[in-house]
Amino acid sequence: MDRINQHTAPVYEAMLELRKRRMVPFDVPGHKRGRGNPELLDFLGEKCVGVDVNSMKMLDNLSHPISVIREAEELTADAFGAQHAFFMVNGTTSAVQAMVLATVRAGDEILLPRNVHKSVINALVLCGGIPVYVPVRVNHQIGIATGMALSDVEKAIREHPHAKAIFVNNPTYYGIASDLAGIVRVAHAAGMKVLVDEAHGTHLYFGKNLPISGMAAGGDLAAVSMHKSGGSLTQSSILLCGEGVDAEYVQQIINLTQTTSASYLLISSLDLSRRNLALHGAEAFEKVSSMAEYARAEINEIGGFYAYGRELIDGDSVYDFDVTKLSVFTQGIGMTGIEVYDMLRDEYDIQIEFGDIGNILAYISIGDRIRDIERLVGALEDIAGRFAKDKRELYCGEFIAPELVMSPKEAFYAKGERLPLKDTVGRISGEMLMCYPPGIPILTPGERITEEILTYIEYAREKGCSLQGTQDPECRELRILTET
């Protein structure tokens, strides 16, 4: 099959044409090309504010695309090897939720690893689906959750044959990939859909020697964060459909929650980024992989730090590894990831993606330069030399999988009361609590609270992790279900 000509960018070209026409605006947005908000115009510039426009005939409509947006989505589907692609302007959160809402209804089971993003649980709150957690194994050397072993997936399918779908992280935040093709094979044989979270996997569609992408593996739906490694503006994403997916129904699901005032800044950035990746992605991500591997080798020469890579692959729960992810275990110098994260920002003016109890992640993508990599390596070497502490037993985060007592939807809407965390042991949570980033829940609505969970929460707080999700902004109180 001949590929579509990827050199065009229909939405971007339509916006250039709009700019030439110098049209007088009597529509929204009310700033009228920035004239009504001079400070905004000065801050962002006329080129940006001047194309912050509303849907109009020549620019198409994201909720019901029939011209340039439709063409741009067709180009995107072709570039990513999908049957259909949707532009998403509410972030990958909305793409993940659309996947779940299009597949799971009230009372339906969905198989998923515990280390899913909070958007998955929030989708289950909306639709009434029941999460069935596939065991997530832990690498105790570095204290992170890995992927789903195929044998564990097969066991979960046997025990829950009526589940509608299985949800897969591809890859995890740390770069761990499960056997996605194998999961697709066994799930489809059982009549289940495969939903793939590729918030950190845009490059898998274009780079070489990387884990297989969701569409190449035969997945049914994939949520892809173009803004993370693909180069588009923050909050822009795409949702991909595989063979046999009813794209018209998926569009209806998207329109339940996605804004009707879609930003053309975001839409055009998706259009341009797709073109850039289609034409230059292979070359760009080869460079990204090379920079990450260089950084990994240099960091491992420092001592104390461990920048892990493909040596973690075991063909099981670590089926593959995304080498573009520069994940570094920090406890070898007696410091938590969050402590190193804060120090890099405050002392060295280096902003990395996140730090958790045991690790940091430096996100490397198409905009990075080798001199930036060298600055990061130099800062870590300095930290190890100046601030390393005596090694001690630090909490390494055995992955906690709480008991699910009721569905997230039932618990979220049930009557409850707020209690101090210390008084909640044995009770059922009515809300979510997580460290962010990466946004993986410690507790979700409907789960039983244990002493182990509270110990982990307080340790994370002590080490500077950002606790979020509860009604209480300080996360010192938790809404728990009223006992009857």
Side-chain angles (χ1 to χ4, degrees):
M1 177 177 164
D2 293 335
R3 301 297 296 271
I4 299 174
N5 178 6
Q6 289 286 340
H7 289 78
T8 185
V11 177
Y12 164 69
E13 290 157 8
M15 292 183 73
L16 289 181
E17 182 61 30
L18 174 68
R19 177 179 281 162
K20 291 178 184 177
R21 293 178 62 171
R22 304 182 64 85
M23 197 172 291
V24 178
F26 283 103
D27 61 350
V28 295
H31 61 67
K32 301 299 175 78
R33 312 299 193 260
R35 292 189 294 274
N37 193 339
E39 287 183 331
L40 181 68
L41 182 64
D42 182 63
F43 178 56
L44 295 180
E46 190 280 329
K47 281 191 174 182
C48 176
V49 180
V51 290
D52 179 33
V53 295
N54 190 30
S55 294
M56 60 185 73
K57 188 172 183 179
M58 68 182 296
L59 295 182
D60 209 355
N61 188 298
L62 188 61
S63 299
H64 186 73
I66 58 173
S67 59
V68 292
I69 293 178
R70 182 174 178 176
E71 292 172 24
E73 289 181 336
E74 288 172 350
L75 285 160
T76 301
D78 177 74
F80 283 78
Q83 293 299 302
H84 195 91
F86 294 99
F87 284 179
M88 308 294 292
V89 295
N90 287 16
T92 306
T93 286
S94 66
V96 165
Q97 292 177 344
M99 292 197 302
V100 175
L101 295 176
T103 312
V104 179
R105 299 182 182 182
D108 288 344
E109 290 182 329
I110 178 172
L111 309 179
L112 65 165
R114 175 65 195 188
N115 56 333
V116 294
H117 188 261
K118 65 175 184 175
S119 57
V120 183
I121 306 301
N122 287 339
L124 296 179
V125 168
L126 294 174
C127 71
I130 311 297
V132 174
Y133 293 112
V134 178
V136 171
R137 304 183 190 187
V138 171
N139 182 308
H140 294 279
Q141 181 186 4
I142 52 179
I144 66 167
T146 57
M148 294 185 291
L150 186 59
S151 58
D152 290 334
V153 172
E154 291 172 324
K155 183 174 182 288
I157 289 174
R158 287 195 302 270
E159 294 175 352
H160 299 271
H162 300 297
K164 298 297 182 184
I166 181 167
F167 191 95
V168 187
N169 298 317
N170 190 53
T172 69
Y173 223 148
Y174 302 93
I176 306 296
S178 302
D179 180 4
L180 183 56
I183 291 171
V184 168
R185 183 180 68 253
V186 298
H188 283 177
M192 299 179 189
K193 299 291 187 184
V194 179
L195 316 181
V196 188
D197 183 346
E198 293 184 313
H200 304 283
T202 304
H203 49 290
L204 303 186
Y205 289 86
F206 303 96
K208 296 178 181 178
N209 301 315
L210 297 175
I212 192 170
S213 69
M215 290 295 102
D220 297 286
L221 292 161
V224 182
S225 284
M226 281 284 277
H227 69 93
K228 288 189 172 74
S229 62
S232 65
L233 291 178
T234 295
Q235 198 176 310
S236 59
S237 178
I238 57 175
L239 177 58
L240 303 175
C241 301
E243 292 184 8
V245 173
D246 185 346
E248 287 77 14
Y249 178 67
V250 173
Q251 177 79 74
Q252 287 185 311
I253 294 295
I254 291 170
N255 288 347
L256 290 176
T257 56
Q258 181 155 257
T259 178
T260 56
S261 300
S263 166
Y264 278 87
L265 296 173
L266 300 183
I267 295 171
S268 59
S269 80
L270 286 169
D271 195 21
L272 284 170
S273 297
R274 178 272 315 157
R275 182 171 72 174
N276 182 50
L277 294 183
L279 299 179
H280 310 294
E283 175 187 353
F285 289 121
E286 183 177 357
K287 180 182 176 183
V288 169
S289 295
S290 176
M291 286 192 295
E293 292 284 38
Y294 168 76
R296 192 171 286 113
E298 291 293 303
I299 291 168
N300 285 334
E301 287 290 321
I302 294 172
F305 292 115
Y306 172 36
Y308 40 93
R310 293 182 62 84
E311 72 278 0
L312 297 184
I313 295 173
D314 59 11
D316 193 28
S317 63
V318 186
Y319 188 80
D320 206 346
F321 185 82
D322 174 9
V323 296
T324 72
K325 298 292 187 294
L326 184 58
S327 303
V328 184
F329 181 68
T330 65
Q331 290 188 5
I333 65 166
M335 297 177 70
T336 63
I338 192 67
E339 289 171 327
V340 175
Y341 169 93
D342 286 341
M343 190 164 288
L344 284 169
R345 181 192 62 242
D346 297 339
E347 303 293 331
Y348 299 89
D349 289 330
I350 295 174
Q351 180 63 56
I352 59 173
E353 177 68 9
F354 80 85
D356 63 16
I357 299 300
N359 301 268
I360 57 172
L361 171 65
Y363 215 99
I364 301 177
S365 195
I366 58 178
D368 284 298
R369 304 167 297 181
I370 194 66
R371 64 176 178 268
D372 299 323
I373 301 294
E374 290 170 344
R375 180 173 170 182
L376 172 63
V377 172
L380 291 175
E381 185 173 16
D382 196 51
I383 289 171
R386 295 174 58 197
F387 303 104
K389 307 171 186 177
D390 292 335
K391 285 188 180 181
R392 63 188 191 278
E393 284 297 317
L394 295 176
Y395 189 90
C396 209
E398 176 63 52
F399 207 75
I400 303 170
E403 173 194 1
L404 182 70
V405 180
M406 63 177 64
S407 76
K409 182 177 182 179
E410 289 176 307
F412 185 85
Y413 291 109
K415 291 182 179 179
E417 57 181 325
R418 281 169 60 170
L419 290 179
L421 278 173
K422 63 182 177 63
D423 298 330
T424 63
V425 174
R427 303 292 291 275
I428 309 304
S429 176
E431 58 186 351
M432 191 181 299
L433 191 151
M434 78 202 90
C435 290
Y436 192 89
I440 296 168
I442 301 171
L443 268 174
T444 71
E447 293 179 336
R448 192 179 302 281
I449 303 158
T450 65
E451 193 69 52
E452 181 188 19
I453 291 169
L454 297 186
T455 298
Y456 181 82
I457 290 169
E458 292 309 318
Y459 184 84
R461 188 196 309 277
E462 176 191 336
K463 294 303 178 183
C465 290
S466 175
L467 296 173
Q468 299 182 14
T470 60
Q471 291 181 18
D472 173 20
E474 301 296 321
C475 292
R476 297 188 182 277
E477 292 185 340
L478 192 67
R479 190 178 75 83
I480 51 91
L481 271 57
T482 305
E483 292 183 320
T484 56

